[in-house]
Amino acid sequence: MKEQGATIIELVCILAIIGILAVYALPRLPGILDSWQIDYEAACLAADLRWMQERTRSMQRLDVRFEGRGEDDQPQLYIRKGDYRIVMKEKLREHKFSPGLKMYVNQSRIAFDTEGRMNPPLTILLLQGGKARRVIIDSVGRSRVERNL
């Protein structure tokens, strides 16, 4: 008579193999998660900057009287300790950073001109643990994310 199923010895061997793999994999897990987290935050910041740039350009195309308007009529990005906000008369978007993420930038208010350019060029540095990302906006208005320095 044939018996179906697994024996106790087979189950113990499988649990031992899973335990050995876990011993090697679990210590590396926080580093992998930190890398994903900082990549996500940098991508969100770059996407919001591109959105803000395009909104500034489209406002200029739609409204020929844009030149005479005040700074409150342009989208501006305000950076605080743990988050940033995009404001244009009222708050349009807000993003809170994940815990442990530090952001360094040399100005607290960022705005594009009506052509979508950034003068002077801007570099925003994001740090988390041993990982670093730079969000760079050059004078033409192109934005990109660079990995470790």
Side-chain angles (χ1 to χ4, degrees):
M1 190 152 89
K2 265 186 165 180
E3 290 190 30
Q4 302 277 327
T7 66
I8 286 279
I9 294 174
E10 291 171 336
L11 291 175
V12 168
C13 288
I14 289 174
L15 287 175
I17 291 169
I18 290 173
I20 291 169
L21 291 174
V23 165
Y24 286 111
L26 287 179
R28 293 185 178 102
L29 189 61
I32 293 169
L33 293 178
D34 285 348
S35 177
W36 289 345
Q37 206 167 35
I38 196 167
D39 284 340
Y40 169 76
E41 297 291 354
C44 282
L45 180 59
D48 282 344
L49 286 167
R50 287 184 195 115
W51 175 85
M52 192 173 97
Q53 178 187 35
E54 188 54 39
R55 183 155 179 141
T56 303
R57 278 189 195 148
S58 65
M59 286 175 55
Q60 194 270 337
R61 283 192 300 264
L62 293 174
D63 189 358
V64 292
R65 298 167 293 142
F66 187 76
E67 295 295 327
R69 300 175 92 178
E71 280 188 0
D72 291 345
D73 295 329
Q74 296 181 36
Q76 299 174 21
L77 186 127
Y78 289 95
I79 298 169
R80 294 187 299 186
K81 186 176 180 180
D83 64 351
Y84 62 85
R85 292 178 297 138
I86 297 176
V87 176
M88 187 177 79
K89 290 188 180 178
E90 73 278 347
K91 181 173 64 174
L92 296 175
R93 291 186 179 196
E94 185 171 15
H95 183 84
K96 294 199 182 293
F97 290 124
S98 56
L101 184 97
K102 294 181 179 148
M103 182 167 74
Y104 297 99
V105 64
N106 59 357
Q107 56 197 57
S108 61
R109 183 184 70 83
I110 299 169
F112 291 92
D113 67 6
T114 56
E115 304 273 323
R117 286 180 261 180
M118 174 73 60
N119 255 337
L122 178 70
T123 299
I124 301 170
L125 181 65
L126 299 173
L127 296 172
Q128 185 171 29
K131 311 283 184 200
R133 301 291 182 269
R134 285 191 294 191
V135 178
I136 300 170
I137 307 143
D138 59 17
S139 58
V140 179
R142 294 179 299 228
S143 60
R144 67 183 185 275
V145 176
E146 286 186 356
R147 298 187 124 226
N148 284 345
L149 309 173

